[in-house]
Amino acid sequence: MAKKTALVTGANKGIGYEIAKGLGAKGVKVYAAARSVELGEAAAEKLRGEGVDAEFVQLDVTDEESIAEAVKQVASLDILVNNAGIALADGGWNTSELTTTTARKVFETNVIGVIAVTNAFLPVLRESDAPRIVNVSSEVGSLTFMTGEHEFAKMQGGAYGASKSALNMLTVSYSKEFKDGPVKINAMTPGYTKTDLNHNQGWRDPALSAKVAIDLALLDDDGPNGGFFQEGLEYHADTTVPW
């Protein structure tokens, strides 16, 4: 049986790195995609040092030329993990202080970048017997969660939360197109994880947060399509996250 292959965007650090590492531990060949050549090469070398069959792919999700070149590097693909994302705000993080420049930048990476990468790699993915797409979202993008009673839900989502809500809708939209298989697409939230995105203020370990993405990437044929999932969130017991 041929080895499965996966491409993980933003794989040079944090959750993306742990997803790449976890997939590699399952015997998957990993294309570690990153915008920075220096950081991406270093991450791929580190992954190989940990026994992962890893190859660096330069990929800027906001640059269609970069995406096209990345597609040329990937001969076959079974799994795409859209992990690359940014969280930016202005002033004191109040929504009224948000500038259109910041909002556009966030959406360019977190939403438009996902569309660009997914659509570019779909022709390659469709050649797989079991193509899987995982979108790394956030419970901050859940309207149900963010209008709930939990203390964490009192925060303002701003451009980041709005971009993750849009990503969730994209996941649902793609899943309708893929309803007859074999492509399956799902979203997941890693929870409040210690990463550069939140200046390492999170309390969850990236390796733990990556687990649900790894599971979704390796779904059987009877697995879900078009769902939103989590594992181990301290403030949400159900493994399914409400939209």
Side-chain angles (χ1 to χ4, degrees):
M1 183 179 295
K3 177 182 283 191
K4 284 184 178 292
T5 58
L7 184 137
V8 182
T9 65
N12 58 293
K13 60 182 179 179
I15 297 167
Y17 180 87
E18 293 298 336
I19 292 172
K21 180 181 174 182
L23 286 171
K26 299 282 188 180
V28 177
K29 174 182 171 63
V30 177
Y31 292 101
R35 180 175 54 184
S36 166
V37 173
E38 180 182 359
L39 296 178
E41 289 280 16
E45 183 177 355
K46 184 178 177 182
L47 285 167
R48 289 191 292 269
E50 297 190 77
V52 176
D53 183 359
E55 180 179 334
F56 166 64
V57 174
Q58 196 280 328
L59 196 160
D60 181 343
V61 303
T62 67
D63 185 335
E64 291 193 11
E65 185 175 328
S66 169
I67 295 169
E69 287 300 314
V71 172
K72 293 177 184 178
Q73 282 187 251
V74 180
S76 65
L77 192 64
D78 301 286
I79 299 160
L80 171 63
V81 181
N82 289 307
N83 165 75
I86 58 173
L88 301 174
D90 298 293
W93 283 76
N94 289 315
T95 311
S96 61
E97 297 176 272
L98 180 66
T99 64
T100 55
T101 298
T102 295
R104 286 193 182 98
K105 189 170 184 179
V106 171
F107 269 74
E108 189 70 33
T109 297
N110 296 1
V111 182
I112 298 172
V114 171
I115 296 171
V117 171
T118 300
N119 290 355
F121 278 99
L122 262 174
V124 187
L125 277 167
R126 288 186 188 277
E127 295 177 8
S128 168
D129 293 331
R132 303 289 182 260
I133 302 171
V134 182
N135 290 334
V136 177
S137 184
S138 170
E139 67 269 30
V140 179
S142 163
L143 297 182
T144 302
F145 186 91
M146 292 300 286
T147 54
E149 297 299 322
H150 188 274
E151 185 71 23
F152 193 67
K154 294 178 181 178
M155 68 175 287
Q156 296 181 48
Y160 176 74
S163 74
K164 293 303 185 180
S165 293
L167 176 60
N168 289 347
M169 178 56 76
L170 279 175
T171 304
V172 171
S173 186
Y174 275 119
S175 73
K176 292 180 179 181
E177 179 180 355
F178 303 150
K179 64 183 176 62
D180 296 323
V183 182
K184 290 182 183 294
I185 184 169
N186 291 284
M188 58 78 71
T189 175
Y192 196 36
T193 304
K194 186 177 181 179
T195 66
D196 287 352
L197 184 140
N198 56 41
H199 307 291
N200 294 305
Q201 294 177 34
W203 54 71
R204 302 195 83 203
D205 182 84
L208 174 64
S209 300
K211 186 178 182 304
V212 66
I214 295 164
D215 291 342
L216 291 171
L218 298 171
L219 283 176
D220 293 333
D221 290 342
D222 59 352
N225 177 47
F228 189 13
F229 302 98
Q230 68 86 21
E231 183 171 322
L233 287 185
E234 300 83 351
Y235 37 81
H236 184 72
D238 196 338
T239 55
T240 299
V241 182
W243 297 114

